Amino acid sequence: MNILVICHYGLYQNLQNSFVHHQVKALVELGHNVRVIIPIPYGKKGSDNNRISRGVMERNVDGAELVYVRYLTLSKYGEKSFNFESAMYFIEKNEMQILRNFSIDIIHAHTLGFDGNIGKRLAKKYKKPLVVTSHGSDASVPHEKGRLQYLLQCCEGIDCIVAVSSVLGKKIRSSGTKTNVVSILNGFDLKNLPDKQVKEQYSFLQVSNLLPSKRVNVTIEAFAEIKRNYEQARLYIVGSGPEKDKLERLCDNLGISDSVEFMGKIPNLDVLKKMAATQFFIMPSVREGFGIVYLEAMACGCITIGTQGEGIEDVICSGENGFLVPPDNPEAIIRIVEKCFNGLSDVQKIVEQGKMISKELSWKKNALAYTKLYKELLSENFK
């Protein structure tokens, strides 16, 4: 099957950590031909580390054909309003080169809005079915802001929307869309899991961008209270972002700076090693479509704590294979940690259950589910 994927550069910037590329790689391993259109604004560093480069650049990575298309942008992220028409102009201008020797069977765009709109234009032109995957904020932000008409408009003209969790699927359906919405959970790369390591006692870890929605402040506030009773406790924070200075000041104000290490961005292999050496993984984020990092933490044997009402509810059953806490509630985190430290009899069983269920969610399983969906759409007289 020839699959044309559309994915903006933000989700394809780091191939090692790009869940879209992991999925593409799995599709290639199943025998599909995959070509990926990656719109990238002029001024943003591309795969060649240049901010200005020729209009179309091509690479073959892991058997997939990646086509980077430069376009002019008028906004910081290059994904809205004028930017869609600009990206579409440069794609259509270079269409013969982009689609050279490639006969499309199905189009798969990632995120509602910018990528989805490009997919709609190409699907209409080539009369091919269109799948759009929603990964989280593209649907949850307009849902929270009450912009249901905008969300409804994003859904129009798509043959099937895939939500990466059932919670996200419900938010999309709340727009009143008639488009079919299904849930297919993301996977993660099982090949890079480290060997079992000795866990550092009283150790805590959060891995995320340092953004308000990740609620790193909630983790820090909970840790400050935990440290009152466990002097040797340490918190490791992996990731970077605009909240770093604010979070460092919070640690200073709480008097825990000496016990909190901001590690910045580190390679995924090093993240997994850190998980394997840490007791607790905490990420009380909101607007989380799914959260592959939870799966990685569970597979590495961490006692994993996520947020109720977010995408990870499809995987974590609280008290059975991990824990879920209400949003913005450090006290709930503290109670769980105290139970675990005070001899909760099922802690090891919970960890083992977490390992088992996380390892069932591979990218191969994800790619097989998408292949089944593609075949169903192609059988519905789209040809």
Side-chain angles (χ1 to χ4, degrees):
M1 192 181 304
N2 295 328
I3 306 164
L4 182 67
V5 173
I6 301 158
C7 180
H8 64 274
Y9 189 62
L11 294 183
Y12 233 100
Q13 193 164 1
N14 185 327
L15 292 181
Q16 185 184 27
N17 295 333
S18 170
F19 47 83
V20 177
H21 184 68
H22 283 301
Q23 182 188 84
V24 164
K25 183 179 176 182
L27 289 167
V28 170
E29 289 172 352
L30 290 179
H32 299 296
N33 298 314
V34 184
R35 186 165 295 184
V36 188
I37 298 177
I38 306 170
I40 173 172
Y42 282 105
K44 182 180 282 291
K45 279 189 177 181
S47 60
D48 58 355
N49 211 35
N50 293 320
R51 296 184 183 276
I52 303 295
S53 57
R54 63 181 184 271
V56 177
M57 291 185 61
E58 301 176 49
R59 298 172 65 194
N60 190 298
V61 182
D62 296 320
E65 299 170 340
L66 311 185
V67 185
Y68 299 84
V69 182
R70 288 284 187 180
Y71 69 97
L72 298 173
T73 176
L74 293 181
S75 73
K76 181 178 179 182
Y77 297 107
E79 295 173 28
K80 297 185 174 73
S81 59
F82 164 86
N83 303 299
F84 158 65
E85 292 296 345
S86 174
M88 199 67 238
Y89 169 79
F90 284 97
I91 289 171
E92 290 177 334
K93 180 181 178 182
N94 296 285
E95 203 164 341
M96 289 185 66
Q97 179 181 350
I98 294 168
L99 297 177
R100 184 180 65 252
N101 300 324
F102 191 82
S103 178
I104 303 168
D105 291 319
I106 197 157
I107 299 173
H108 183 176
H110 288 268
T111 71
L112 297 164
F114 181 75
D115 298 317
N117 288 337
I118 294 173
K120 290 178 195 179
R121 187 77 64 88
L122 293 175
K124 184 176 181 180
K125 179 174 183 177
Y126 289 99
K127 297 181 172 56
K128 300 296 179 181
L130 172 64
V131 175
V132 176
T133 298
S134 173
H135 291 279
S137 60
D138 56 328
S140 59
V141 169
H143 176 269
E144 288 178 12
K145 293 183 176 180
R147 299 178 63 202
L148 296 185
Q149 190 60 38
Y150 166 78
L151 188 53
L152 178 63
Q153 183 181 354
C154 286
C155 296
E156 291 176 354
I158 299 171
D159 297 299
C160 186
I161 297 170
V162 177
V164 295
S165 67
S166 59
V167 170
L168 186 61
K170 289 177 183 176
K171 291 178 180 179
I172 295 170
R173 292 188 194 95
S174 72
S175 69
T177 183
K178 302 299 183 184
T179 301
N180 187 31
V181 181
V182 301
S183 296
I184 299 177
L185 303 185
N186 280 335
F188 77 110
D189 194 346
L190 302 174
K191 298 174 185 175
N192 295 325
L193 292 178
D195 295 332
K196 186 175 181 180
Q197 293 181 317
V198 176
K199 296 282 188 181
E200 178 186 349
Q201 290 297 302
Y202 307 110
S203 57
F204 300 82
L205 173 68
Q206 177 160 346
V207 179
S208 65
N209 293 321
L210 305 185
L211 300 170
S213 63
K214 299 300 180 180
R215 298 298 197 264
V216 184
N217 62 303
V218 175
T219 299
I220 290 171
E221 289 164 11
F223 175 78
E225 187 62 32
I226 291 164
K227 185 165 173 59
R228 289 176 183 270
N229 298 323
Y230 304 93
E231 181 61 29
Q232 64 270 56
R234 287 193 60 81
L235 171 61
Y236 302 94
I237 298 171
V238 174
S240 61
E243 291 277 289
K244 183 182 179 183
D245 291 344
K246 181 179 177 181
L247 295 169
E248 287 180 332
R249 287 196 299 271
L250 176 61
C251 291
D252 285 340
N253 293 337
L254 293 171
I256 58 172
S257 292
D258 291 344
S259 300
V260 179
E261 182 179 348
F262 287 84
M263 300 180 69
K265 277 189 176 181
I266 62 176
N268 186 247
L269 288 177
D270 292 334
V271 171
L272 296 174
K273 289 177 183 177
K274 192 65 186 174
M275 288 174 169
T278 305
Q279 276 190 304
F280 288 85
F281 178 85
I282 303 172
M283 192 169 79
S285 60
V286 297
R287 298 198 295 276
E288 195 72 50
F290 183 66
I292 293 169
V293 70
Y294 293 114
L295 300 182
E296 294 175 327
M298 294 165 77
C300 289
C302 294
I303 301 167
T304 302
I305 302 174
T307 310
Q308 291 175 2
E310 300 296 333
I312 197 59
E313 270 194 345
D314 283 340
V315 177
I316 293 180
C317 183
S318 196
E320 293 187 15
N321 55 21
F323 296 94
L324 297 172
V325 295
D328 299 312
N329 193 327
E331 292 79 14
I333 296 172
I334 295 165
R335 286 195 295 271
I336 288 170
V337 171
E338 288 287 352
K339 282 182 180 180
C340 293
F341 282 157
N342 291 330
L344 178 64
S345 59
D346 290 338
V347 168
Q348 193 54 40
K349 182 180 177 181
I350 290 168
V351 168
E352 293 303 320
Q353 288 292 320
K355 285 183 181 179
M356 185 172 66
I357 193 168
S358 65
K359 290 178 181 179
E360 292 176 359
L361 294 169
S362 67
W363 282 118
K364 181 178 180 180
K365 182 176 180 179
N366 173 275
L368 286 168
Y370 272 97
T371 298
K372 182 174 181 289
L373 175 61
Y374 298 154
K375 289 179 178 177
E376 290 171 354
L377 290 174
L378 287 169
S379 69
E380 294 177 1
N381 298 319
F382 280 99
K383 290 184 178 180

